[in-house]
Amino acid sequence: MKSNFKDNKITLRTSPRSILQIFSARSKEERLRRGWRLQDLADRSGIKLGTLKHFEKTGEISLERFLLILSSMGRTLEIESLLLPPEIQKIEEIDSSKRQRGMRGGAP
């Protein structure tokens, strides 16, 4: 059950609208994997059926409603790492990785 939306890949060049459409396609795929009708998702998430139809068609939905969808599917922990500060490497770690070189000309 693969979506036709460019393999659902997000890159640095993916537009915001395309990202919304990708999330919409992924959400629909997850709903179908679970064997849920749109009405089932509406009942579980508390979101109106018309809003969910619009989301699956256009990718447009509020962040709060998107989080309700994730919650109803048990997938909210997957957003935990969004916008966390990147890990900072110590200068010593960077220096040591640069200094690890192979021997010239093979073994002595």
Side-chain angles (χ1 to χ4, degrees):
M1 182 182 322
K2 193 94 166 154
S3 108
N4 295 333
F5 201 82
K6 298 181 184 175
D7 298 323
N8 278 337
K9 302 271 188 233
I10 296 174
T11 69
L12 292 175
R13 293 184 175 188
T14 307
S15 72
R17 175 162 300 289
S18 294
I19 292 170
L20 292 172
Q21 291 171 334
I22 289 168
F23 283 151
S24 170
R26 289 179 182 177
S27 173
K28 182 177 182 177
E29 289 169 2
E30 178 67 16
R31 176 179 64 77
L32 294 173
R33 260 194 302 276
R34 293 168 179 266
W36 293 356
R37 299 169 300 136
L38 265 175
Q39 185 61 57
D40 297 326
L41 181 56
D43 294 342
R44 292 169 187 267
S45 66
I47 300 171
K48 292 180 181 177
L49 181 60
T51 301
L52 291 172
K53 285 181 181 180
H54 182 74
F55 171 57
E56 286 193 357
K57 183 177 181 182
T58 67
E60 296 172 2
I61 198 164
S62 72
L63 178 58
E64 182 178 4
R65 287 187 179 119
F66 184 66
L67 294 173
L68 287 170
I69 291 169
L70 292 178
S71 178
S72 69
M73 295 177 172
R75 307 281 304 257
T76 50
L77 291 180
E78 295 176 36
I79 61 170
E80 158 62 21
S81 63
L82 289 177
L83 300 176
L84 287 177
E87 286 189 30
I88 298 174
Q89 278 187 306
K90 295 179 181 175
I91 297 256
E92 299 83 29
E93 293 172 354
I94 295 170
D95 284 345
S96 69
S97 68
K98 287 182 181 177
R99 293 181 184 173
Q100 294 174 357
R101 297 182 182 159
M103 297 175 61
R104 285 191 177 163

